[in-house]
Amino acid sequence: MTLLLGIDIGTSGSKGVLVRDDGALVAQAAREHPTATPAPGRFEHDAQAVWWADFAALTAELLAAAPAGERVAAVGVSGIGPCLLPVGADGAPLRPAILYGVDTRAGRQIADQRDRYGEREVLRRCGSPLTSQAIGPKLAWVREAEPAVWARTRRWHMASSYLVHRLTGAYVLDHHSASQSTPLYDLRGGGWIEEWCEEIAPGVEFPRLAWPADVVGEVTREAAAATGLPAGTPVVAGTVDAWAEATAAGVTAPGDLMLMYGTTMFLVDVVTSPVPGPHLWSTRGTFPGTFCLAGGMATSGAVTGWLRELTGADFGTLVTEAAATGPGAEGLVMLPYFAGERTPLFDPDARGLVLGLTLRHGRGHLYRAALEGTAFGVRHHLEAMAAAGGDVRRQVAVGGGARELWTQIVSDVTGQPQDVPRHTVGAAYGDAFLAAVGTGRAAPGDIAAWNPVEQTVRPDPATAEVYDELYGIYRGLYPATREAAHALAARQLNDAGG
């Protein structure tokens, strides 16, 4: 059998897998990396030291683990997005990449473009509102704040397209990633909005568009020397990590919803047609003719990681102590807006909050409150999706955080079961599957055989009453504290010299 290589670039680490063309997992590898935060609300990656270095290191490790006589037949990649990496005429990065919606530096440019193009018109053409997730305002920020960088900018990349370029020399972006590049891509028309692209980024060439499973080039001799991959190996276009992960989990049919438990929580609901709305993202899907309704929380696993570092306890200890506190964490409710919030609030100045603290509460209570806070955020998203016209009929849990206690809490809070597939290794597995599809080794529907459901987490009806009560408190906290949170966010920015 032949092997498929999948590599995914995440916020705080990257993962890679080798998979046979029947879906069998042969090897996997992971690598952590830093995310720079040069100022409040700013998140960056060095594309060479993070994206490409991770790809090369993971590929070398995986190739060393490949069984004798088996070779890589195709490569798939994915990464965080939408991100903005300006590059020059030679393709070299001109500054660190500006990350997705957690980076909120372009607030003024968002307002400017709303005024210029009209909120309703942007929503009609692009499917999503202008927010910190959008690429257009980030491009305008670079043009205005860093004129020397802008003067040399000729193209731009996301994480996946940068890897594809380094591997093949191609300048290409997949339709899904492009559909998150508000206000530059026409959701229904399936192409760049040329007049807005030229106005926002004059003189910058926009990438050719392809679908994530399309073969867009082959590994060059230079890339082969740097990675160990055979020259001439086909490479598919790839996509944003959450959509690669949704594909890996079999979230491909209308009514399927992926819950991605990671540094941030991401939700992808497959729908039959575009569903534009002011509180969520409406995007193209992974395969031609598909669309999605999506949402993303700015933090989830990031908060639990913060608590681990703050308390010095390991995750196992925290989970055990959190489980012992019982539903409701003995009267604590947490707003998990520690880095602002993306959907459905679109408020970069929202802030974290813990209500109900007493001297009897300990780290286990706080950890449970963090898990429950993200679960309340999931419930909020499900309600927003239903209001927008989404029809969620099946939920699938994926990601490194899809562990027993957290998934059980989410099912208890939402009252909905969650399927857990055999492989939850992440987007890299979806990248390998897309590479198999692109080279004719698999069809889109084969993912059910590649990655069958092995467990279903079902809600405990005994918890419904307490969680319904606490969810009501949760929903009331944000509007009650919004002005105070905004005042503190402004002070934080001022104190940091931003």
Side-chain angles (χ1 to χ4, degrees), residues 5-17:
L5 174 69
I7 301 286
D8 173 64
I9 307 297
T11 303
S12 56
S14 300
K15 295 180 180 179
V17 296

Side-chain angles (χ1 to χ4, degrees), residues 413-436:
V413 166
T414 63
Q416 300 296 321
Q418 298 170 76
D419 290 339
V420 181
R422 174 183 298 166
H423 299 300
T424 59
V425 292
Y429 191 82
D431 299 334
F433 180 72
L434 291 171

Side-chain angles (χ1 to χ4, degrees), residues 22-50:
D22 63 353
L25 185 64
V26 174
Q28 55 185 310
R31 176 181 166 98
E32 294 185 353
H33 58 238
T35 296
T37 54
R42 298 187 180 186
F43 294 82
E44 299 180 345
H45 276 170
D46 182 313
Q48 173 66 28
V50 174

